[in-house]
Amino acid sequence: MPQKEEKIEVEGSVVEALPSTQFRVKLDNGHNVLAYLSGKMRKNYIRILLGDRVRVELSPYDLTRGRITYRHRKRGLNGEDEVVV
């Protein structure tokens, strides 16, 4: 059985929202990628807004496209998690 390729996990910020749950994400290393929302995030109605910090999985074959797998919680001024409604 062939080995499954490992995903590359990186973090970045959402800079543009596009149709059909796609987003332009600026990674911490300066690159821009086109990322779509993972199935679990769609199923649980996780909303992504401009400026959100996200974790993106990239395939080693195409480093310009990825899948958003996690949205980091926003931090308030006093260091506690901010409730986003």
Side-chain angles (χ1 to χ4, degrees), residues 2 36 43 46-47 56 65 71 83:
Y36 64 92
K43 185 179 121 184
I46 305 295
R47 298 287 177 226
V56 180
R65 297 185 54 104
R71 176 181 159 261
V83 178

Side-chain angles (χ1 to χ4, degrees), residues 60-77:
Y61 298 111
D62 186 4
L63 298 175
T64 62
R65 297 185 54 104
R67 173 175 49 216
I68 297 175
T69 57
Y70 185 78
R71 176 181 159 261
H72 291 285
R73 292 175 175 239
K74 292 192 184 254
R75 294 284 174 188
L77 295 176

Side-chain angles (χ1 to χ4, degrees), residues 27-81:
L27 302 179
D28 290 343
N29 61 13
H31 289 84
N32 282 323
V33 296
L34 181 64
Y36 64 92
L37 213 51
S38 71
K40 282 190 176 185
M41 292 187 72
R42 278 190 197 203
K43 185 179 121 184
N44 293 314
Y45 299 107
I46 305 295
R47 298 287 177 226
I48 304 289
L49 303 172
L50 293 182
D52 281 349
R53 296 283 300 160
V54 292
R55 184 180 309 144
V56 180
E57 281 185 355
L58 300 173
S59 165
Y61 298 111
D62 186 4
L63 298 175
T64 62
R65 297 185 54 104
R67 173 175 49 216
I68 297 175
T69 57
Y70 185 78
R71 176 181 159 261
H72 291 285
R73 292 175 175 239
K74 292 192 184 254
R75 294 284 174 188
L77 295 176
N78 56 3
E80 295 179 8
D81 290 340

